[in-house]
Amino acid sequence: MAGTAKAAPQTRNKVRIPFWMRLKAWWEGYDLSIREKQAIPFDMGDLSQDAVRYDSPEWMSKRLEIMQEIWGKGMTGPGDAAYILKLVKPLALDPAFTVIEVGAGLGGATRVISEHFDIWMTGLEADREVADAGMELSTMAGMAKKAPVHYFDVDHYEFREASIDCVFSKEALYVVEDKKRLLAEIINMIKPRGQLLFTDYVFAEDAAKKDIQAWVSGEPVTPHPWTQRQYEQTLTEARLDIRIKEDITDEVYKIITSAWAEFLASLRGRELDKSTSDAINEAVDLWTRRTKAIESGALRLCRFHALKKEGEKMLSDW
């Protein structure tokens, strides 16, 4: 006798609320009501946990103070010291190397790399307020000479030829309009057999125009992102030996959401003055737009590591 067929178990349609929506809703004071069988809320972490806070000197603006509360002391974007060291591992740095970071922010990564590898490293930052604050932080850390942070005019800066072993950059090139000129200067500065390692925001090849415009229009500095393919083509034309080209979006996205969950936890029961509230509101708006663009698939993050071939004249045909 044939057995009776069992009905397939009903599955709940799980819909995850986008992080950008929960972030914006939390800050504006809304409580998202989640109907059963309709959606599963994004895990914001334990909002009762304690988070590290930093006492800032009087010269530190609220904008920069809040950046550090979100990302960590000396940091202006996603990634702690352990992440930075993992990121630059392919460079195999040693004390004999000279290194420059383009887009150093407050110099957190510059100081981490300099101290860990015992190298002389210079951070260059295009935002004068951020560069000045970064130099103060290096001075306070006793690293004013070994890991200074200097302002530079990204559109006109010229580097000395074959003077640096390695150049590192973390999510800084996307705001540069004439990237070919800057990359030409950077590559010209690198010694033969020297290295270039950078991460950056890029547009997906199939990015929807509306998702692009929504992100671009809200950035404090107008972005001019390339696609990952454009970077690859440019480095290839410059006759660099590309060792790594990868999409790191998922890893960085987890860092972003985790950092924000910890920061939100730190605000529980905390009274905020207007300047602090305004600075947080600015950061929420910024990262709401960025995470929305990432979740839509329009905005990605990539990492490149390339070697300058020995004995070749770079970019002579640019």
Side-chain angles (χ1 to χ4, degrees):
M1 178 175 162
T4 57
K6 294 183 179 179
Q10 292 185 346
T11 58
R12 178 178 295 179
N13 183 24
K14 297 183 178 180
V15 180
R16 172 172 287 179
I17 292 182
F19 175 81
W20 67 266
M21 189 180 294
R22 288 187 59 79
L23 174 60
K24 189 69 173 174
W26 182 91
W27 179 242
E28 293 182 351
Y30 299 115
D31 179 17
L32 287 183
S33 177
I34 310 301
R35 294 181 181 178
E36 190 177 2
K37 299 183 181 180
Q38 178 180 353
I40 303 295
F42 186 90
D43 181 8
M44 295 294 288
D46 180 6
L47 296 188
S48 65
Q49 63 182 310
D50 292 329
V52 178
R53 293 178 56 190
Y54 303 100
D55 294 326
S56 297
E58 292 182 1
W59 48 262
M60 180 75 70
S61 71
K62 284 294 181 181
R63 175 175 77 106
L64 301 183
E65 181 182 337
I66 293 304
M67 278 185 187
Q68 293 180 91
E69 286 204 40
I70 298 168
W71 307 117
K73 192 170 184 179
M75 302 297 185
T76 51
D80 60 9
Y83 172 76
I84 297 299
L85 294 177
K86 175 186 173 185
L87 204 60
V88 301
K89 187 175 181 181
L91 296 175
L93 297 172
D94 67 50
F97 286 11
T98 53
V99 185
I100 278 184
E101 180 180 5
V102 175
L106 289 170
T110 301
R111 289 184 291 275
V112 165
I113 295 168
S114 173
E115 185 172 25
H116 183 82
F117 294 101
D118 191 25
I119 61 175
W120 295 80
M121 182 167 177
T122 300
L124 300 178
E125 171 54 45
D127 183 318
R128 190 178 294 277
E129 178 199 6
V130 177
D132 290 347
M135 188 65 218
E136 288 286 348
L137 290 173
S138 287
T139 300
M140 291 169 63
M143 302 181 72
K145 292 184 178 180
K146 199 163 188 178
V149 178
H150 299 305
Y151 166 78
F152 82 123
D153 183 341
V154 69
D155 294 318
H156 302 98
Y157 200 90
E158 295 182 359
F159 300 100
R160 187 158 58 90
E161 184 177 356
S163 58
I164 297 295
D165 294 294
C166 300
V167 174
F168 169 63
S169 181
K170 180 177 175 292
E171 289 102 68
L173 302 180
Y174 72 99
V175 296
V176 179
E177 186 170 8
D178 191 355
K179 267 183 276 295
K180 279 209 168 186
R181 190 206 70 82
L182 179 61
L183 284 170
E185 284 292 330
I186 288 173
I187 294 169
N188 185 56
M189 169 179 57
I190 298 173
K191 298 176 182 178
R193 301 302 300 167
Q195 304 173 78
L196 169 63
L197 190 152
F198 67 91
T199 65
D200 205 20
Y201 291 107
V202 296
F203 281 147
E205 298 283 352
D206 58 350
K209 187 174 181 179
K210 64 179 179 62
D211 295 326
I212 292 172
Q213 286 303 117
W215 172 61
V216 168
S217 62
E219 285 289 304
V221 178
T222 303
H224 303 279
W226 280 359
T227 62
Q228 185 168 328
R229 184 182 301 178
Q230 282 178 290
Y231 273 122
E232 182 178 354
Q233 290 175 341
T234 299
L235 296 179
T236 301
E237 288 171 7
R239 296 187 293 278
L240 266 64
D241 180 5
I242 300 174
R243 297 297 181 89
I244 295 173
K245 53 179 180 181
E246 61 177 346
D247 186 309
I248 59 171
T249 308
D250 291 346
E251 181 179 13
V252 178
Y253 179 79
K254 289 178 182 178
I255 295 172
I256 293 169
T257 54
S258 176
W260 270 102
E262 291 182 13
F263 176 63
L264 296 181
S266 75
L267 298 180
R268 270 285 177 90
R270 177 176 164 187
E271 293 186 7
L272 305 176
D273 57 35
K274 186 179 184 306
S275 61
T276 301
S277 179
D278 288 346
I280 296 174
N281 189 60
E282 181 183 329
V284 168
D285 285 345
L286 177 65
W287 288 96
T288 295
R289 287 188 297 269
R290 284 184 182 174
T291 53
K292 186 176 183 179
I294 291 171
E295 289 172 351
S296 75
L299 189 64
R300 311 295 294 172
L301 288 103
C302 69
R303 177 171 75 146
F304 275 96
H305 173 224
L307 271 63
K308 183 173 180 177
K309 297 177 183 178
E310 191 168 8
E312 289 197 32
K313 183 68 176 177
M314 296 293 132
L315 309 171
S316 58
D317 55 345
W318 282 24

